């Protein structure tokens, strides 16, 4: 286990991180991303696009996140956390505004579908590129200023804010939908600049890491393999659950398309609430990150197995709630494990490597999940259950080897 005087420990008596503005940044980012997802269906029809076109638009943000997470992390090690975090949030705000204005123009001018698709892809990619800096650098800020034993709790605080955004984005879209299709987007657009101003005011200047002859840890660094593997598996499984539920509701539960959409929306709202509750609980517990991974992985595996067997909407919802509760334990533990495994000047690169692995899971999950679904509706859930069981086994094995937790 990492001790306070180990290489990954922060300097003695560091100033506590500006937690509230970090939480607001995470909340506003996920709220904006999910608010757009909530209006994607109607936009697909109004812009003359095919459903798979919008699938590409949704996926491109994950690809951009995967590509840029480590880049932002390494740059924050070299240039300091504050400038990179402010740049990321400012860029996200501008990219989101540009995307909304493009949608307004595309609807007003009846753009050709190909041009509309191109604009949406560019806009969502820009949002993913810049938002990748926010969770990555926020994790590095926590690692800089919190002792190893307390990192999972602080990561859980930021994670709970992000989970709240997952619920608030679709919820706001539902409440304001009658006022106009783009009204929820304009409302959520107002939030990131507020978070940016608060971070600019509260986040203290920081010095870049001292120059070290060694290059930053790369993806082959054995110290990060456990955290990256857990991060990939968690995102992979969550992505499967998100993309499969609508099909499952139609084919297994017998809903029509409209009913399946409503069922999927309810399930995802339950997921957000369960994630928030679990991460709030983690903040109050004194549990090692490795233990959180093992407990959360076991819960998630059970939830996926229950979902695979579901014959009713209630059982499916219960399964998703259990999955989300487990993921709420795993998510804050993963960056804490990575942070505890590396030295202070490597924190940004480590957080970025984990972010890249998570982004890769978001991209691969829907592809393999839909392929597995072609075999039988329950197969994707069983694949996810097996992956979570693998996470538990991997965490136990790493603990026996004495890797930092």
């Amino acid at each position: 286990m990492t001790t306070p005087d180990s290489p990954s420990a922060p300097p003695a008596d560091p100033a506590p991180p500006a937690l509230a503005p970090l939480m607001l940044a995470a909340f506003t980012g996920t709220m904006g991303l999910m608010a757009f997802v909530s209006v994607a269906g109607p936009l697909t029809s109004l812009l003359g696009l095919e459903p798979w076109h919008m699938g590409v638009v949704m996926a491109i943000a994950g690809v951009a996140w995967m590509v840029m997470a480590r880049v932002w992390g390494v740059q924050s090690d070299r240039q300091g956390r504050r400038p990179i975090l402010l740049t990321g949030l400012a860029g996200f705000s501008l990219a989101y505004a540009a995307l909304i204005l493009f949608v307004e123009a595309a609807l007003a001018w009846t753009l050709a579908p190909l041009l509309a698709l191109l604009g949406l892809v560019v806009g969502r990619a820009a949002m993913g590129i810049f938002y990748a800096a926010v969770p990555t650098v926020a994790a590095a800020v926590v690692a800089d200023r919190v002792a190893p034993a307390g990192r999972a709790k602080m990561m859980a605080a930021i994670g709970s804010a992000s989970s709240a955004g997952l619920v608030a984005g679709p919820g706001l879209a539902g409440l304001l939908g009658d006022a106009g299709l783009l009204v929820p987007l304009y409302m959520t657009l107002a939030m990131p600049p507020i978070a940016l101003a608060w971070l600019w005011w509260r986040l203290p200047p920081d010095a870049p890491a001292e120059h070290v002859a060694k290059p930053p840890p790369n993806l082959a660094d054995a110290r990060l393999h456990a955290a990256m593997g857990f991060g990939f598996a968690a995102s992979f499984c969550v992505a499967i659950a998100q993309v499969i539920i609508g099909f499952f509701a139609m084919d297994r539960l017998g809903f029509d398309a409209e009913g399946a959409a409503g069922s999927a929306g309810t399930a995802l709202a339950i997921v957000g609430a369960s994630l928030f509750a679990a991460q709030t609980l983690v903040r109050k517990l004194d549990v090692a990150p490795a233990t959180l991974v093992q407990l959360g992985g076991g819960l998630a595996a059970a939830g996926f197995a229950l979902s695979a067997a579901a014959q009713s909407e209630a059982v499916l919802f219960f399964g998703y709630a259990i999955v989300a509760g487990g993921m709420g334990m795993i998510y804050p533990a993963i960056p804490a494990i990575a942070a505890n495994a590396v030295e202070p000047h490597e924190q940004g690169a480590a957080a970025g490597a984990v972010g890249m692995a998570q982004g890769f899971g978001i991209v691969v999950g829907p592809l393999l999940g839909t392929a597995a679904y072609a075999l039988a509706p329950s197969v994707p859930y069983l694949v996810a259950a097996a992956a979570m069981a693998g996470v538990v086994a991997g965490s136990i094995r790493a603990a026996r080897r004495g890797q930092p937790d």
Side-chain angles (χ1 to χ4, degrees):
M1 177 168 305
T2 306
T3 57
D5 59 351
S6 66
S8 71
D13 300 322
L19 185 59
L22 289 174
M23 291 175 66
L24 183 62
F27 172 78
T28 60
T30 55
M31 183 172 64
L33 289 168
M34 292 305 297
F36 184 84
V37 171
S38 298
V39 302
L43 278 180
T44 300
S45 176
L46 291 172
L47 295 174
L49 301 176
E50 297 293 333
W52 72 267
H53 290 155
M54 195 56 72
V56 171
V57 172
M58 296 297 103
I60 196 66
V63 173
W65 189 334
M66 176 184 70
V67 171
M68 290 301 298
R70 186 171 182 276
V71 174
W72 289 120
V74 171
Q75 289 304 311
S76 76
D77 285 337
R78 294 174 177 171
Q79 301 180 34
R81 313 296 183 211
R82 176 184 167 92
I84 299 302
L85 187 55
L86 295 179
T87 297
L89 195 53
F92 175 80
S93 301
L94 293 174
Y96 193 16
L99 178 62
I100 296 173
L101 292 176
F102 174 81
V103 172
E104 288 272 25
L107 292 173
W109 299 339
T110 318
L111 288 186
L114 182 60
L115 290 177
L117 174 62
L118 180 61
L120 292 177
V121 166
V122 171
R124 284 285 291 185
M127 290 176 69
I129 285 170
F130 285 105
Y131 185 69
V134 176
T136 299
V137 181
V141 169
V142 170
D144 288 343
R145 299 176 179 274
V146 178
R151 285 171 180 164
K153 292 183 179 181
M154 297 294 281
M155 304 289 188
I158 297 173
S160 65
S162 181
S163 299
L166 294 177
V167 178
L172 189 63
L175 288 174
L176 300 178
D178 291 341
L181 181 64
L182 300 185
V183 170
L185 303 188
Y186 281 113
M187 291 293 292
T188 54
L189 174 62
M191 297 297 292
I194 295 174
L196 176 65
W198 199 4
L199 275 173
W200 180 85
W201 176 47
R202 289 294 310 278
L203 192 64
D206 60 316
E210 294 182 4
H211 176 72
V212 177
K214 292 173 59 179
N218 57 38
L219 303 183
D221 194 317
R223 296 174 298 169
L224 298 176
H225 284 176
M228 291 176 63
F230 300 156
F232 169 81
S235 296
F236 170 80
C237 293
V238 168
I240 286 178
Q242 289 175 332
V243 76
I244 290 302
I245 185 169
F247 300 112
F248 191 88
M250 289 189 289
D251 298 334
R252 174 67 70 82
L253 304 183
F255 286 100
D256 59 17
E258 183 176 339
S263 183
T266 301
L268 295 179
I270 291 171
V271 165
S274 186
L275 272 172
F276 178 81
Q279 290 173 327
T280 301
L281 178 63
V282 169
R283 294 176 61 186
K284 299 179 182 299
L285 299 177
D286 187 16
V287 181
T291 303
L292 288 174
V293 168
Q294 293 159 24
L295 292 174
L299 272 178
F304 280 123
L306 181 61
S307 299
Q311 299 289 337
S312 70
E313 190 177 40
V315 172
L316 184 64
F317 288 168
F318 186 50
Y320 268 64
I322 294 174
V323 167
M327 292 298 178
M329 296 180 182
I330 293 173
Y331 277 148
I334 291 169
I337 290 172
N340 293 354
V342 299
E343 299 181 32
H345 67 275
E346 300 173 315
Q347 293 295 342
V354 169
M356 179 178 287
Q358 291 174 321
F360 187 48
I362 291 171
V363 173
V364 174
L367 298 176
L368 293 187
T370 51
Y373 190 85
L375 300 176
S378 61
V379 172
Y381 293 121
L382 296 176
V383 170
M388 285 294 100
V391 164
V392 174
S395 178
I396 293 172
R397 183 181 179 187
R400 288 176 177 172
R401 287 179 171 180
Q403 292 186 8
D405 60 4

